[in-house]
Amino acid sequence: MRGLVVLFLLPGMAAAEVVELSFPVSAAEVFPQGARLTAETTVTLPAGDHELVVLLPPSYLSDGFRPDVGGAALRYTIVGENTEYDAQIFDTPAQAAARADLGDARAGLMDAERELAALTVQIDALEAAADVLRSVRGGDALPSPVELAQVAGLISTELVALAEETAALEAELPPLIRAVETADAVLERAAARLAALGAPEGRNWPLATLGVRLQDAGEVTVSHVFTDPGAGWSVSYDAALADALVTLDRVVEIRHGAGVAWVDADVTLSTAVPSGAMEAQPVFRDVARIGEEGPVLRSERMDLGGAVAEVAAAPLFAMAETDGPVVSYRLAEPVTVLLDGQVSVALPPVAFAAERYLAAAPRFDSTAFHMAEITNATGEPILPGPVRLSRDGGFVGESFLPAIAAGAQGRLGFGPEPDVALTLSFLDQQEGDRGIIRGRQTRSDALRVTAENLGETEREVRLRYAVPTSQQEDLEIDVETSPQATEENVDDLLGVLEWQLTFGPTSAQTIALDFDISWPEGQTLLWTP
């Protein structure tokens, strides 16, 4: 922690000690959307009156500035603009270290450039000397051919020496050039690191001055809680199905949106939704109308100044601590989230006993799918999120895992089974007046569902089909199936039938579905098989 102490007098006050302090984010409670951040700083002071000065990034002022002071009495708080401050005074330890690294990187680049420049000058000097020697010509100053030959020999020898020396120096150029490039890259990384830490250099941020009084010498802590609406967290999974066990590996991604970094902050993930609804929606009149034939009108809901938001139930996540409907998990290690990225944290995996089976829906699919039904007996609810799926050691694809509350059942799909083929065929489709009941229209459909095991392994398949049902007295539906379904109205859905079929190797089974439908003359049947 760095600080500058200044003594001055205010009217009617004794001398007060001014201490300028860094004010980093020390803790974060992160919600699926948004976060509550705590900035905190601590200093040891003697008894008496003091003024503590901290720099406030704009995000700190999202909810105003309401500091909490421990260890001293807070006498007053002043927040104002000040463009004259030295930004380095307010550096956090991480920012101070990054700023020092940036200075070292600048010095390193200057040294590398200086060495390269010195070598370049030597090479240029040798090349200039060679140019001078090449410019020498014979004339009156050389009275005889012998002397001319001697001079030419000396020039030739000197040129060869200069060329050798130049070549030797040029061989030293590539490593010096690489050293300059490396130093430049180090400088760029150091500058990026300082920027990612949110250093206040060159920014016009307000200063807060807190007048405090200590009866006895001791530690004084200043903290401030504010919100970051752009922060949040989400979870993704790797789900592996092997034998009768589903294992979930969980990775949490933490992000922030405010222009301030979190460095070694204590992070708690929470499923609370503080931005959601805090009270029941208002209830207004429901007005019914009658009129001539025309479109059916929906009942109206009065609008008192804006649309009523539909708020979904808050999702739950497997955490270590539960407080009513909110589940939270405090990460065991401090977390650093810089301005230019996010951080991923692995959570302990969870495992579930699974009931494996093949599910078939021949009205929509041409094959069956591997499914696993689980009961979340971990005592921790599971949040929804994207999931990578593996079955018996092999990757099969990606999907989305729905929320599974603690104690609730869930169902996960683990990809298709190509050895099971499904076929849906229409044998008969007739419409008309049968003549048995006058004034009514009729329709008959005959469907056949064939499921075939193409492999050499015995398969058990749960095949589902939704037969037509009626909730109108004048619409009569007769359904016949062969064989009879193993279960009717599956999952409390009227008309959903399920057959539990067992197939030997390279065998097939067929289910017959026959529908007879009748309805009054002059009306239209809104249904297709």
Side-chain angles (χ1 to χ4, degrees), residues 52 67 136 153 257-258 281 303 308 326 360 365 395 410:
L52 308 182
V136 175
Q281 297 291 339
D303 186 356
V308 178
V326 176
D365 303 313
F395 175 73

Side-chain angles (χ1 to χ4, degrees), residues 97-179:
R99 198 182 297 278
D101 290 342
L102 181 60
D104 292 342
R106 288 197 180 106
L109 178 59
M110 292 177 62
D111 290 342
E113 289 176 337
R114 189 179 299 111
E115 288 187 39
L116 179 61
L119 184 62
T120 302
V121 168
Q122 293 181 55
I123 294 173
D124 290 344
L126 293 175
E127 291 178 347
D131 289 342
V132 171
L133 291 176
R134 294 188 191 98
S135 68
V136 175
R137 297 291 184 270
D140 296 339
L142 300 174
S144 69
V146 174
E147 293 177 329
L148 181 61
Q150 291 175 343
V151 172
L154 291 174
I155 291 175
S156 175
T157 301
E158 188 64 22
L159 284 174
V160 170
L162 289 174
E164 291 176 350
E165 190 174 354
T166 300
L169 292 178
E170 287 178 341
E172 299 178 18
L173 276 176
L176 290 183
I177 292 174
R178 288 194 296 270

